[in-house]
Amino acid sequence: MSGLLLHTAAELHALPRAGRRAVVMTMGALHEGHATLIRTARAQAGPGGQVVVTVFVNPLQFGANEDLDRYPRTLDADLALAGAAGADAVFAPAVDEVYPGGDPQVRITAGPMGERLEGATRPGHFDGMLTVVAKLLHLTRPDLALFGQKDAQQLALIRRMVTDLNFPVEVAGVPTVREADGLALSSRNRYLSAAERRTALALSRALFAGRDRLAAQAALRARAAAAPASDERASALARLGEIRASADAHAVSAAGAGLPDAVRGAALHVLAEAGRHEPPLALDYLALVDPQDFTEAGPGYTGPAVLAVAAKVGATRLIDNIPLEFGAHS
């Protein structure tokens, strides 16, 4: 696999281009989620195209008390996984290769979206992330860049940067890969003890509870819509032995505007239970947001949404999210 490995910008620029180039940016410690990104990049680039994977632990996006020093570095294993998944090259530069003059004085600023949720918890994180993504886009010069949807706010900010600053690249999101028990794949999962992992499963369970609450409401509305739309509704349903559905129909008509809060409430119930586990889950935030700007979805919200959560279990901080769709009659 050593033929895959590039360490310098000069080596990267000397790499002959072949068809459409796709890039997958990582901080290493690759797992099946990254492999899915690389395989998707391979499919998108096509047999005549080229896939470049970057491996760089970016110091600019770690705060003072975060896990930069202990972040896992597994380059040999990363090379093997990347090659097996279809990468043509792995660019793994040293810090002084990416930042030859030390910390850059000029950086990308994430703006208002970068101050919300993850940005509020980790000040400066998104500025550092966007700065390195911009540099790596310039260095790799791809036609397509793929990012995981697990980091939904990161993906939204990269898309905004590419649009606002006219980067000539297509940005694609790839759905989150989960383990059989529902835990979203993350390089930080390896920090969890067996007991901590059991607690951490509350993140995905909370998201699924919110999703199920939304689905139940949609099913309830569909059931109510199928009933006669007149004063005869209750009696018609009662004659069919559907007294409960009749009550549901009346309840639904009064409940629609509060659905975002109901979705949040279903998720928060699971998270509150996990806060009483041993070890406990310490919640940073649970938010239901518009994916365009990560502002909270208010009463009566319609359209796509992201239900996002961040929490600590022991010393390990984890994030997760799922996409949702609020219809006009949800």
Side-chain angles (χ1 to χ4, degrees):
M1 294 295 175
S2 59
L4 285 172
L5 184 59
L6 309 173
H7 285 297
T8 68
E11 291 173 325
L12 183 61
H13 292 157
L15 183 68
R17 290 192 74 106
R20 196 172 191 226
R21 178 179 284 181
V23 67
V24 174
M25 297 183 190
T26 82
M27 292 205 301
L30 303 188
H31 50 63
E32 180 57 28
H34 297 108
T36 298
L37 281 168
I38 297 166
R39 287 192 292 266
T40 304
R42 179 78 275 158
Q44 295 277 341
Q50 189 176 69
V51 175
V52 176
V53 175
T54 68
V55 174
F56 180 65
V57 182
N58 177 34
L60 296 191
Q61 65 195 73
F62 286 79
N65 297 311
E66 295 185 338
D67 58 349
L68 173 61
D69 290 337
R70 75 178 186 127
Y71 195 87
R73 275 87 165 168
T74 58
L75 185 56
D76 288 343
D78 295 345
L79 287 169
L81 184 147
D88 296 296
V90 173
F91 179 50
V95 172
D96 59 3
E97 181 71 22
V98 177
Y99 303 120
D103 283 357
Q105 295 184 36
V106 176
R107 307 187 186 197
I108 303 291
T109 299
M113 190 184 354
E115 297 171 358
R116 299 172 187 137
L117 300 187
E118 284 296 290
T121 302
R122 306 174 67 190
H125 166 71
F126 285 127
D127 292 356
M129 179 276 295
L130 290 177
T131 298
V132 80
V133 169
K135 287 185 71 88
L136 290 172
L137 287 174
H138 287 311
L139 288 167
T140 58
R141 293 177 283 194
D143 302 291
L144 172 68
L146 297 96
F147 299 90
Q149 291 178 357
K150 184 177 79 71
D151 297 294
Q153 192 173 5
Q154 169 181 285
L155 175 59
L157 281 162
I158 291 169
R159 283 179 164 149
R160 187 61 185 257
M161 177 184 74
V162 163
T163 297
D164 286 355
L165 301 183
N166 299 102
F167 279 77
V169 63
E170 176 189 348
V171 174
V174 177
T176 300
V177 178
R178 298 184 181 278
E179 301 198 39
D181 57 10
L183 188 67
L185 285 175
S186 169
S187 300
R188 290 184 169 93
N189 289 353
R190 67 189 66 197
Y191 299 155
L192 299 170
S193 69
E196 288 169 344
R197 184 187 170 90
R198 287 193 292 272
T199 295
L201 293 175
L203 273 73
S204 56
R205 286 203 306 269
L207 298 179
F208 298 155
R211 178 196 62 192
D212 292 347
R213 179 68 181 87
L214 178 60
Q217 185 78 5
L220 186 59
R221 277 198 167 271
R223 190 179 185 185
S230 69
D231 292 339
E232 298 178 1
R233 174 186 294 172
S235 59
L237 290 171
R239 284 197 302 273
L240 293 172
E242 296 283 351
I243 296 172
R244 173 61 184 273
S246 176
D248 286 347
H250 291 292
V252 164
S253 65
L259 185 52
D261 282 343
V263 170
R264 292 185 189 95
L268 283 169
H269 177 75
V270 175
L271 296 168
E273 286 286 327
R276 295 187 284 272
H277 290 177
E278 183 55 47
L281 180 142
L283 182 65
D284 276 357
Y285 62 77
L286 183 283
L288 180 67
V289 298
D290 182 335
Q292 295 300 311
D293 58 10
F294 273 67
T295 55
E296 286 282 349
Y301 180 86
T302 61
V306 171
L307 183 61
V309 62
K312 272 191 172 182
V313 182
T316 303
R317 187 174 184 277
L318 300 170
I319 63 171
D320 199 355
N321 72 85
I322 55 170
L324 298 174
E325 183 72 32
F326 285 74
H329 301 292
S330 291

